[in-house]
Amino acid sequence: GLIGTINYVIEDEIIPAGQTTPESAEINMFLSKMIERGISACAMEVSSHALALDRVYGLDFDVGVFTNLTQDHLDFHRTFEAYLQAKKILFDSLKQSAYAIYNIDDPNGERIVADTKAMRLSYGKSERADIKVKDVRLGFEGTYVVIQTPTENAFEINSKLIGEFNVYNILSAVAVGYALGVEYEDIKKGIEKLENVKGRFERMISPDGYTVIIDYAHTPDALEKCIDTILKLKEQTGGGKLITVFGCGGDRDKGKRPIMGRISTEKSDITVITSDNPRFEDPEKIISDILEGVKINSVYYIFVDRKEAIWRALEMAEKGDIVLIAGKGHEEYQIVRDVKIPFSDSQVVLEFFQTKRKV
């Protein structure tokens, strides 16, 4: 079973997610259904909100995984330290027989597991990691990685997942499999079978020969990692311009807006700034906050309407270019005030491609 940001999955039943981690009663209802259907394991994405609000209080986790910690949700937690302490609750509550798996390369990794009673297992590129990378090759077609575990000779994985951040996702999955005693061949098969996740570095090829990447990156760190991944891959392929489309959510952490403006305009050839779930804020005010961080003399355009912004970016693109559309990823709505209006970045791109084919 699966409980996460995009969907809740119970065998063949797929339920669109309302929240990353649902309310306590819902969680227990889903877990009960899984048990009734003979499901023996559930992967659950546990949000900092859920931990702070005790939604998972009393749940008996066998494995907890810490991936990374960067600026996000400060509208709720107020300070980065409070955000960290909320994440830490999961690991502090693990039993002795459980595993606390953490990214040793993240500066907060060892703090997160400092007080856990569980067995610790680290992963990363560091030589100190228990599960570590021995070799890696990145490409637009996927990722080749050689991984060393404490008890096994290094083994190879050829994954369809793209980007350096996915190397860390692969490492964490290997660590979970190792902790649970899964055979290496089964870990390898499971990871290699996985296609790209919807809205996570999702690649679309235009009829005109440029590439569109749709990604959920909506924090400074995620946007920077996404752009850096594209730039690295572009170096290998000799690609053209990078055009980045993004906005920032309304009624959320305002401090990240100018930071994201700076990151995009420093690293992209062209930036298109637009709306992204403005909620009860004025979209133009959100954009003005973003503009406070833009690089002087950078090339950027402003289109408040997100569909227009995407279409204009695609019109600018030429063969060999890459258009990154960041912020919404898998989401199929735009939140204006308290109304969810149907909207999908990938659908807008497909409509543009179809229009081009008709011309």
Side-chain angles (χ1 to χ4, degrees):
L2 172 70
I3 296 174
T5 301
I6 302 176
N7 293 313
Y8 311 142
V9 180
I10 305 171
E11 213 167 32
D12 297 329
E13 185 183 357
I14 299 175
I15 304 154
Q19 301 164 290
T20 296
T21 313
E23 297 294 337
S24 310
E26 277 188 291
I27 292 172
N28 283 283
M29 179 187 71
F30 291 139
L31 293 176
S32 177
K33 277 189 178 182
M34 290 176 196
I35 291 165
E36 285 169 11
R37 298 186 194 182
I39 295 169
S40 59
C42 172
M44 183 190 300
E45 189 174 352
V46 182
S47 69
S48 59
H49 290 70
L51 289 161
L53 298 170
D54 287 339
R55 285 185 206 155
V56 295
Y57 180 81
L59 284 185
D60 188 12
F61 291 94
D62 295 293
V63 179
V65 182
F66 169 75
T67 53
N68 57 59
L69 193 69
T70 61
Q71 182 176 334
D72 199 9
H73 306 306
L74 297 192
D75 53 296
F76 177 81
H77 296 289
R78 300 300 177 195
T79 67
F80 188 83
E81 181 62 24
Y83 181 32
L84 183 148
Q85 291 301 324
K87 290 278 190 185
K88 192 170 176 287
I89 292 168
L90 175 63
F91 299 89
D92 290 352
S93 64
L94 292 174
K95 59 195 173 187
Q96 280 186 316
S97 60
Y99 274 91
I101 295 173
Y102 65 101
N103 176 359
I104 200 169
D105 296 340
D106 187 280
N108 296 293
E110 292 182 321
R111 276 193 72 194
I112 287 282
V113 298
D115 301 314
T116 188
K117 296 186 290 291
M119 294 176 279
R120 297 180 200 177
L121 188 67
S122 63
Y123 68 88
K125 293 186 171 181
S126 167
E127 272 304 311
R128 296 189 300 127
D130 299 310
I131 311 285
K132 67 192 79 167
V133 173
K134 301 305 286 183
D135 189 21
V136 64
R137 279 183 293 227
L138 305 171
F140 270 122
E141 303 307 317
T143 300
Y144 166 83
V145 61
V146 179
I147 294 174
Q148 175 80 57
T149 70
T151 58
E152 178 77 3
N153 291 330
F155 66 103
E156 300 175 347
I157 291 176
N158 284 290
S159 170
K160 298 180 185 75
L161 301 176
I162 303 167
E164 188 167 18
F165 55 91
N166 270 318
V167 173
Y168 282 94
N169 289 333
I170 291 166
L171 282 168
S172 68
V174 170
V176 171
Y178 174 83
L180 296 175
V182 179
E183 295 291 334
Y184 290 106
E185 197 53 42
D186 291 331
I187 295 172
K188 175 181 165 72
K189 278 181 191 168
I191 293 170
E192 291 185 343
K193 189 170 74 173
L194 180 66
E195 301 287 342
N196 275 353
V197 179
K198 182 174 174 57
R200 303 299 193 276
F201 215 85
E202 183 180 351
R203 192 163 66 115
M204 304 170 77
I205 306 298
S206 84
D208 294 332
Y210 58 83
T211 300
V212 177
I213 303 287
I214 293 176
D215 196 88
Y216 190 48
H218 60 280
T219 66
D221 179 74
L223 182 64
E224 187 160 34
K225 281 179 178 168
C226 198
I227 291 175
D228 285 347
T229 293
I230 292 170
L231 294 176
K232 273 188 186 176
L233 296 174
K234 205 155 69 77
E235 276 176 23
Q236 296 171 17
T237 58
K241 302 187 299 294
L242 170 59
I243 303 168
T244 298
V245 182
F246 86 99
C248 290
D251 301 326
R252 295 294 185 268
D253 177 14
K254 295 180 181 181
K256 66 184 182 183
R257 295 172 185 174
I259 301 171
M260 292 175 72
R262 176 185 57 76
I263 288 166
S264 182
T265 53
E266 277 183 357
K267 292 176 177 275
S268 310
D269 297 293
I270 299 171
T271 293
V272 179
I273 302 168
T274 187
S275 300
D276 181 349
N277 295 339
R279 298 181 178 87
F280 285 91
E281 282 196 72
D282 177 356
E284 293 187 8
K285 174 64 174 73
I286 297 171
I287 289 170
S288 73
D289 289 343
I290 294 170
L291 292 177
E292 288 178 15
V294 300
K295 178 186 171 187
I296 296 170
N297 297 326
S298 60
V299 180
Y300 66 88
Y301 299 89
I302 297 166
F303 301 103
V304 176
D305 181 87
R306 191 172 179 94
K307 180 175 180 177
E308 183 184 5
I310 292 170
W311 276 49
R312 292 296 186 97
L314 298 177
E315 284 168 356
M316 293 178 209
E318 300 171 328
K319 185 174 181 179
D321 289 351
I322 297 168
V323 179
L324 169 62
I325 304 171
K328 296 187 70 62
H330 64 282
E331 290 181 351
E332 297 190 349
Y333 53 81
Q334 181 84 301
I335 305 173
V336 180
R337 298 188 69 78
D338 55 355
V339 178
K340 284 188 175 181
I341 299 166
F343 189 94
S344 162
D345 285 349
S346 58
Q347 194 58 44
V348 169
V349 172
L350 286 173
E351 286 170 12
F352 181 86
F353 288 173
Q354 286 160 5
T355 304
K356 291 288 286 183
R357 286 192 182 102
K358 288 174 188 172
V359 173

